[in-house]
Amino acid sequence: MVVYIFIYILDLQLSSKGSTWDEIDFEFLGNLSGDPYILHTNVFSQGKGNREQQFYLWFDPTADFHTYSILWNPQRIIFSVDGTPIREFKNMESLGVPFPKNQPMRIYSSLWNADDWATRGGLVKTDWTQAPFTASYRNFNADACVWSNGASSCKSNTSPSSASTNRAWFSQEMDSAKQQRLQWVQKNYMIYNYCNDAKRFPQGLPPECNMS
């Protein structure tokens, strides 16, 4: 999925329905003039999130269109910006970590008022005198398994290898160059990682945080 975004107060997500929904989020948080823009990411599985990672970007996202993409397959979720991976969430069901792979999800985009938490922890409120707020998209692309009559088109294949014949992303992973770019982003531009927030998890960090 590739989305081009020209506005920063934006929520873009893949989401299923129900009380145990799955969801994959890209969110641009509001800011004060002159402050860096924050790109907020989160992954929900079976209705449980609390897996936030936040980043500054190495460019002004309001100055031009950029490519924001989510690769989601049964093994991993990769968030990328202009082809550079910024986050990878791997399938760790073997550790008891639910992974979103069994529920169909739709693509949603919205502008919404999150001033109770998004900007400086809710200290900065939305300036409604600047309304209306808009978002623009260009060259949207999506390649996905189609859910119809209770079944996925990918599951009609006998194995992941046969599914990848026409859908390379179905078994795609990052090569060494992409891994290095991911490490560069997380070292230089990540500003929050739930796996480093021990105060938030007094009973112990989530199990995926203990994996390298």
Side-chain angles (χ1 to χ4, degrees):
M1 182 185 69
V2 179
V3 179
Y4 298 78
I5 303 175
F6 191 60
I7 196 72
Y8 72 93
I9 307 173
L10 179 73
D11 174 27
L12 171 68
Q13 63 179 247
L14 292 166
S15 181
S16 60
K17 297 181 178 181
S19 60
T20 56
W21 78 100
D22 295 338
E23 183 175 316
I24 305 169
D25 281 328
F26 258 134
E27 295 178 351
F28 278 84
L29 306 187
N31 77 337
L32 292 176
S33 179
D35 286 353
Y37 294 93
I38 295 176
L39 182 60
H40 175 99
T41 66
N42 201 357
V43 176
F44 286 76
S45 51
Q46 298 182 14
K48 183 180 183 298
N50 298 327
R51 299 186 177 101
E52 299 91 344
Q53 289 184 358
Q54 295 180 345
F55 306 84
Y56 289 146
L57 294 171
W58 47 97
F59 55 85
D60 180 353
T62 68
D64 201 353
F65 286 89
H66 290 272
T67 305
Y68 302 89
S69 58
I70 297 171
L71 169 71
W72 170 41
N73 63 31
Q75 295 80 40
R76 58 187 45 83
I77 300 165
I78 300 173
F79 297 79
S80 297
V81 178
D82 289 340
T84 294
I86 64 169
R87 177 179 185 177
E88 181 180 33
F89 185 83
K90 293 182 178 180
N91 184 334
M92 296 187 186
E93 291 177 301
S94 61
L95 300 178
V97 181
F99 185 82
K101 68 182 181 65
N102 296 315
Q103 300 186 67
M105 291 201 274
R106 297 177 181 268
I107 298 173
Y108 298 89
S109 178
S110 63
L111 296 169
W112 61 290
N113 179 18
D115 66 10
D116 59 332
W117 67 271
T119 307
R120 293 189 174 180
L123 295 177
V124 180
K125 302 303 180 182
T126 301
D127 182 359
W128 294 105
T129 66
Q130 301 300 313
F133 306 112
T134 62
S136 300
Y137 301 86
R138 185 175 69 187
N139 298 337
F140 172 81
N141 292 291
D143 183 9
C145 305
V146 178
W147 187 268
S148 178
N149 297 320
S152 166
S153 60
C154 289
K155 291 185 178 180
S156 63
N157 298 282
T158 57
S159 69
S161 60
S162 63
S164 65
T165 301
N166 297 316
R167 300 184 176 98
W169 53 264
F170 195 82
S171 57
Q172 184 176 332
E173 56 187 284
M174 289 190 291
D175 59 19
S176 59
K178 293 286 189 181
Q179 289 281 0
Q180 291 177 1
R181 292 292 287 174
L182 174 68
Q183 293 172 9
W184 172 77
V185 170
Q186 296 202 339
K187 178 181 179 181
N188 294 287
Y189 294 98
M190 179 185 287
I191 61 170
Y192 178 81
N193 182 1
Y194 74 107
C195 282
N196 296 332
D197 195 347
K199 291 183 179 180
R200 187 177 177 186
F201 302 99
Q203 303 304 316
L205 293 171
E208 69 268 21
C209 295
N210 297 319
M211 301 299 292
S212 58

